[in-house]
């Protein structure tokens, strides 16, 4: 039994499939995890409970004269390490890793750096790094163990950072629930749909995922094809969301705005005909180009046997290699891709499950992580 401290500034563990999988796996091996995070009305922190999980929350800063959330997290973590026995400290996001790195050096603890997003490097659009970005990069280089998503992420880290030789482990952004093998009519029942091809966009919503371009291209789709946007959290008040939400797409777009549990999400996804995942290289840069197995929505589609349409990116070519999806150069190609998949959906669906089991399934990755840190 190990005692693990997880520091996650942003309270959205439920939106990070791979980190949630890691936590769930450790808990079920009878390890004890204490999660120190912040509290927000906009996010559901976690949709499951476990006897081996303890959560400590600090209130997010809401006034200028209030102590910053980062300082609250640092103090809470310092006090916990001062009075409790801990074997490992995991940083779950940028600030979590900065705090973990500094306090692990003070308390002589092992720091596991969980790479939530690609660290920032100097680019033409971002020539100068902030103090926080430099601190995160320094923490990465000093980490005892680094957990990132795949070979593309590891190659990037080794190219741009002086990380240690053999301390990088992989974990695709896959959820901990078992592969979904049954039939589901979740969305059909929710929207009273019959004889309809449902194209699902699940999870993150924003300019980075080309949601506006996707919405606009539905105008040319056949009448029996509907796009469902399932949102992972409340976006009411967001100008980008509101513009699309209040626009008229002639009934081609349906909105799934009610949050669901981790297990219900699989039923929701499995009821779709095709899953869609678009990424903007203009907005995301290298984070899109080398997306790889960090694309959580793609992993969830595959796990549920749902074929995928995605942006043509070098690190997503495995979708066409496994013949479980189609990559498009622009949104105008989506309609043709839909038609091509529907003609032979059963084969695409079978290949989606094969791709998930051979490339995405977290079990063997978790075993490697557990063996390495024990």
């Amino acid at each position: 039994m190990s005692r693990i401290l997880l520091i996650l500034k942003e309270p959205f563990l439920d939106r990070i499939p791979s980190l949630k999988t890691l936590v769930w796996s450790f808990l079920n091996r009878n390890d004890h995890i204490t999660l120190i995070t912040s509290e927000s009305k906009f996010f559901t922190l976690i949709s499951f409970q476990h006897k081996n999980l303890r959560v400590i929350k600090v209130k997010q800063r809401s006034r200028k004269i209030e102590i910053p959330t980062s300082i609250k997290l640092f103090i809470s973590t310092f006090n916990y390490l001062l009075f409790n026995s801990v074997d490992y400290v995991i940083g779950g996001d940028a600030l979590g890793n900065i705090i973990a790195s500094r306090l692990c050096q003070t308390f002589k603890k092992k720091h596991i750096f969980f790479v939530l997003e690609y660290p920032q490097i100097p680019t033409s659009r971002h020539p100068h790094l902030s103090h926080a970005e430099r601190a995160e990069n320094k923490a990465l280089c000093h980490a005892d163990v680094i957990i990132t998503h795949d070979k593309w992420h590891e190659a990037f880290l080794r190219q741009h950072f002086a990380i240690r030789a053999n301390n990088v482990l992989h974990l695709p952004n896959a959820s901990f629930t078992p592969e979904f093998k049954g039939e589901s009519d979740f969305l059909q029942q929710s929207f009273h749909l019959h004889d309809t091809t449902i194209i699902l966009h699940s999870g993150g919503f924003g300019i980075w995922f080309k949601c506006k371009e996707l919405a606009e291209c539905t105008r040319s789709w056949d009448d029996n094809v509907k796009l469902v946007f399932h949102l992972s959290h409340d976006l009411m008040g967001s100008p980008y969301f509101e513009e699309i939400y209040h626009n008229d797409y002639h009934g081609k777009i349906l909105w799934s705005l009610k949050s669901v549990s981790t297990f219900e999400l699989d039923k929701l996804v499995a009821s779709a005909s095709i899953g869609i995942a678009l990424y903007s290289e203009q907005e995301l840069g290298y984070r899109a180009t080398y997306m790889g197995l960090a694309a959580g929505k793609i992993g969830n589609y595959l796990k549920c046997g749902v074929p995928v349409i995605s942006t043509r990116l070098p690190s997503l070519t495995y979708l066409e290699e496994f013949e479980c999806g189609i990559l498009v150069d622009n949104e105008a190609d989506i309609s043709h891709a839909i038609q091509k998949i529907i003609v032979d959906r059963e084969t695409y669906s079978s290949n989606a499950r094969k791709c998930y089991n051979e490339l995405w399934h977290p079990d063997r990755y978790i075993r490697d992580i557990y063996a390495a840190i024990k």
Side-chain angles (χ1 to χ4, degrees), residues 187-331:
L187 290 171
Q188 289 80 355
Q189 292 290 336
S190 298
F191 294 107
H192 307 290
L193 299 175
H194 303 283
D195 300 320
T196 301
T197 298
I198 297 176
I199 312 302
L200 175 65
H201 184 280
S202 176
F205 186 99
I207 189 172
W208 317 276
F209 309 116
K210 308 186 79 171
C211 294
K212 185 176 181 180
E213 293 88 339
L214 175 58
E216 288 296 329
C217 80
T218 63
R219 299 183 189 277
S220 64
W221 292 4
D222 293 340
D223 290 339
N224 69 326
V225 181
K226 306 288 186 185
L227 171 65
V228 174
F229 278 116
H230 174 69
L231 273 60
S232 58
H233 64 289
D234 185 5
L235 283 174
M236 291 297 180
S238 161
Y240 185 86
F241 166 77
E242 295 278 359
E243 179 186 356
I244 301 170
Y245 182 68
H246 293 296
N247 210 330
D248 180 16
Y249 295 100
H250 308 293
K252 296 288 184 65
I253 295 180
L254 303 171
W255 296 92
S256 174
L257 303 178
K258 183 180 178 181
S259 62
V260 297
S261 71
T262 302
F263 295 94
E264 287 178 315
L265 180 61
D266 290 344
K267 292 181 180 180
L268 185 154
V269 170
S271 66
S273 307
I274 297 169
I276 197 156
L278 303 181
Y279 302 98
S280 171
E281 282 193 285
Q282 180 178 350
E283 296 296 330
L284 291 170
Y286 58 83
R287 291 181 172 89
T289 305
Y290 307 112
M291 177 65 65
L293 306 187
K297 57 170 62 73
I298 291 180
N300 216 32
Y301 296 150
L302 298 174
K303 182 179 70 173
C304 297
V306 176
V308 181
I309 296 174
S310 191
T311 306
R312 186 173 299 283
L313 296 170
S315 58
L316 296 182
T317 55
Y318 65 85
L319 291 172
E320 292 190 332
E321 291 166 3
F322 276 91
E323 297 183 343
C324 60
I326 295 176
L327 302 179
V328 296
D329 295 300
N330 56 67
E331 293 69 49

Side-chain angles (χ1 to χ4, degrees), residues 120-131 133-134 137 286-287:
Q120 185 64 54
I121 61 172
T123 66
S124 58
R125 294 185 65 181
H126 196 108
H128 304 293
L129 301 187
S130 68
H131 175 73
E133 289 165 344
R134 293 195 301 272
N137 294 351
Y286 58 83
R287 291 181 172 89

Side-chain angles (χ1 to χ4, degrees), residues 155-210:
F156 177 89
L157 296 179
R158 294 199 180 282
Q159 179 182 354
H160 295 283
F161 301 96
I163 59 177
R164 300 180 184 182
N166 299 307
N167 68 336
V168 180
L169 301 167
H170 297 170
L171 182 62
N173 199 17
S175 60
F176 66 80
T177 52
E179 182 185 1
F180 192 94
K181 297 182 179 180
E183 298 293 328
S184 175
D185 60 355
F186 189 102
L187 290 171
Q188 289 80 355
Q189 292 290 336
S190 298
F191 294 107
H192 307 290
L193 299 175
H194 303 283
D195 300 320
T196 301
T197 298
I198 297 176
I199 312 302
L200 175 65
H201 184 280
S202 176
F205 186 99
I207 189 172
W208 317 276
F209 309 116
K210 308 186 79 171

